Amino acid sequence: MTIRMAQESDIPELAQLYQETVLAIAPHYYSDEQTHSWASFAADGVRFREFILSGTTFVATDETGILGFAGIADDGHITSAYVRRDRIHQGIGSTLMQTLLDYAKNHRIERLYAEASEFSLGLFKKYGFHVYDTEIVERQGVEFKRYLVERGVIKKD
């Protein structure tokens, strides 16, 4: 597995990975309406492109293609953490999360924070994030509960 920076040319494959993963995993935690509303974000080309390219997004790849991606903004906001539906629970999410933590340390970002879904919360907790609040957000008229998580970063020597 290789980790690299996302490129403009990755966006179609990242959108497909995002949509397929949400459609496969979300039904275990969310209603059909919530699942389809969430997955539909990948079809919004302009917003999805911004989602990937506005911060620093890392992509995990191997000979089969893109395995997952995770993004971080300059202020420490973790914008994404997705693993291809057929490769979940194989260490890819952990590798990407460690990449984000290393990036934050190297760029002296002192606080990381995110809005975790029901199915990403475990990954965040595994890496020392704690829930400090919850929120209800609306997407296309559908409400979602998200967990607001944060953690500090060990300072670089």
Side-chain angles (χ1 to χ4, degrees):
M1 177 172 43
T2 303
I3 303 293
R4 62 171 174 76
M5 302 285 284
Q7 303 165 12
E8 177 98 28
S9 60
D10 293 325
I11 291 174
E13 190 174 350
L14 294 174
Q16 181 179 351
L17 181 153
Y18 173 100
Q19 186 174 52
E20 289 178 358
T21 296
V22 171
L23 290 173
I25 305 302
H28 300 285
Y29 303 92
Y30 297 97
S31 71
D32 285 345
E33 185 180 36
Q34 290 171 316
T35 297
H36 290 287
S37 174
W38 185 356
S40 71
F41 174 66
D44 184 338
V46 172
R47 287 184 55 224
F48 193 84
R49 180 185 179 281
E50 183 179 327
F51 173 65
I52 298 299
L53 299 178
S54 66
T56 301
T57 300
F58 295 96
V59 176
T61 65
D62 72 3
E63 65 281 353
T64 68
I66 295 177
L67 304 173
F69 64 94
I72 186 170
D74 291 340
D75 68 353
H77 181 222
I78 296 179
T79 58
S80 61
Y82 288 86
V83 173
R84 199 170 75 199
R85 64 187 170 94
D86 64 330
R87 297 298 296 270
I88 292 173
H89 300 300
Q90 295 180 19
I92 297 159
S94 292
T95 298
L96 287 165
M97 185 63 73
Q98 189 59 58
T99 301
L100 295 179
L101 294 176
D102 293 345
Y103 178 90
K105 184 177 178 181
N106 290 334
H107 288 83
R108 296 187 171 91
I109 300 171
E110 295 185 14
R111 175 183 175 256
L112 296 177
Y113 67 99
E115 301 82 26
S117 67
E118 293 284 348
F119 66 88
S120 67
L121 185 59
L123 178 64
F124 284 102
K125 286 184 170 182
K126 177 180 176 180
Y127 282 88
F129 287 78
H130 70 275
V131 176
Y132 67 90
D133 206 351
T134 59
E135 69 178 358
I136 303 294
V137 295
E138 184 181 312
R139 300 287 183 260
Q140 301 174 347
V142 180
E143 291 187 344
F144 294 84
K145 178 181 178 182
R146 300 192 304 188
Y147 298 90
L148 305 181
V149 297
E150 69 179 352
R151 71 162 272 175
V153 176
I154 299 170
K155 296 189 184 346
K156 188 174 179 178
D157 298 329

